[in-house]
């Protein structure tokens, strides 16, 4: 997808997504065989549910039909959420991951670290690194410039916030 098409699509779609108090995380146009697919990823601080995705999908479809942003020819519109193992690329992603286990790839030496995000501020994140072999967890601070990549880890036995509060 050309940068100009990407920018045009973002300019067209972002106000509609923002009006629903959602964030437009990603836009991708891909060719699948002879067909084109427009993938739109939306999210919010509270996540998104299927009803929100369906509503946004209908409205984006109408908006796209009214414009020529996708040009001539057929395409498929797919609207979804970032998924469980989303990469953390924006400050708001880190804020949404507070309490979650995250795999960090560090800029120095390419080392990896798996830790739970406790707090996020403008400079970085405060972490709890799980203890190994019965040892207690330790605290650690990472600045954003020390993080090359970060991705939320799926936890099958993670306690829900509601369970912890009860």
């Amino acid at each position: 997808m050309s940068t100009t098409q990407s920018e045009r699509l973002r300019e067209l779609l972002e106000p509609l997504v923002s009006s629903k108090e959602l964030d437009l995380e990603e836009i991708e146009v891909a060719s699948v065989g002879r067909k084109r697919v427009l993938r739109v990823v939306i999210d919010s601080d509270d996540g998104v549910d299927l009803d929100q995705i369906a509503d946004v999908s209908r409205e984006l479809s109408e908006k796209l039909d009214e414009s020529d942003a996708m040009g001539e020819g057929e395409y498929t519109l797919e609207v979804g959420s970032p998924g469980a193992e989303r990469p953390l690329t924006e400050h708001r992603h880190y804020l949404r991951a507070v309490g979650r286990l995250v795999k960090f790839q560090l800029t120095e030496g390419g080392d990896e670290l798996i830790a739970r995000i406790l707090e996020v501020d403008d400079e970085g994140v405060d972490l709890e690194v799980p203890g190994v072999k019965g040892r207690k967890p330790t605290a650690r601070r990472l600045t954003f410039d020390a993080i090359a990549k970060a991705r939320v880890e799926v936890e099958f036995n993670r306690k829900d916030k509601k369970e912890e509060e009860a």
Side-chain angles (χ1 to χ4, degrees):
M1 172 171 64
S2 70
T3 304
T4 54
Q5 184 183 25
S6 174
E7 290 170 358
R8 282 189 8 221
L9 285 167
R10 185 167 285 279
E11 286 174 14
L12 178 70
L13 304 179
E14 195 158 35
L16 191 148
V17 173
S18 295
S19 74
K20 304 287 184 190
E21 297 183 8
L22 299 169
D23 295 316
L24 178 58
E25 295 291 350
E26 187 178 324
I27 296 176
E28 176 190 15
V29 177
S31 295
V32 180
R34 294 183 199 162
K35 296 183 180 185
R36 292 180 304 151
V37 177
L38 171 58
R39 291 187 183 100
V40 177
V41 177
I42 59 174
D43 201 7
S44 79
D45 290 345
D46 299 321
V48 291
D49 61 33
L50 290 176
D51 290 335
Q52 289 174 301
I53 290 172
D55 290 343
V56 169
S57 182
R58 277 190 295 277
E59 291 189 35
L60 291 180
S61 181
E62 289 173 14
K63 188 83 161 176
L64 288 162
D65 289 347
E66 294 169 2
S67 77
D68 67 344
M70 286 299 293
E72 295 296 316
E74 293 183 18
Y75 65 92
T76 301
L77 173 63
E78 294 179 359
V79 179
S81 66
E85 293 183 323
R86 70 150 337 134
L88 306 178
T89 57
E90 303 282 337
H91 187 264
R92 68 177 178 266
H93 299 163
Y94 288 92
L95 289 169
R96 290 174 185 159
V98 169
R100 303 288 307 269
L101 201 61
V102 174
K103 180 187 254 183
F104 296 93
Q105 184 176 352
L106 306 180
T107 54
E108 285 196 32
D111 292 338
E112 288 187 351
L113 171 68
I114 296 178
R116 189 169 310 281
I117 296 179
L118 300 176
E119 288 188 40
V120 179
D121 60 32
D122 291 341
E123 287 82 38
V125 292
D126 291 327
L127 306 172
E128 179 184 77
V129 181
V132 181
K133 296 182 181 176
R135 292 189 180 131
K136 290 184 178 182
T138 57
R140 182 158 178 189
R141 170 112 178 128
L142 286 179
T143 58
F144 288 119
D145 61 357
I147 302 169
K149 292 181 186 176
R151 180 177 298 276
V152 172
E153 292 283 284
V154 173
E155 294 180 82
F156 293 106
N157 59 353
R158 179 176 175 252
K159 288 186 178 171
D160 191 341
K161 287 180 185 177
K162 294 175 186 171
E163 289 178 40
E164 290 174 5
E165 292 170 1

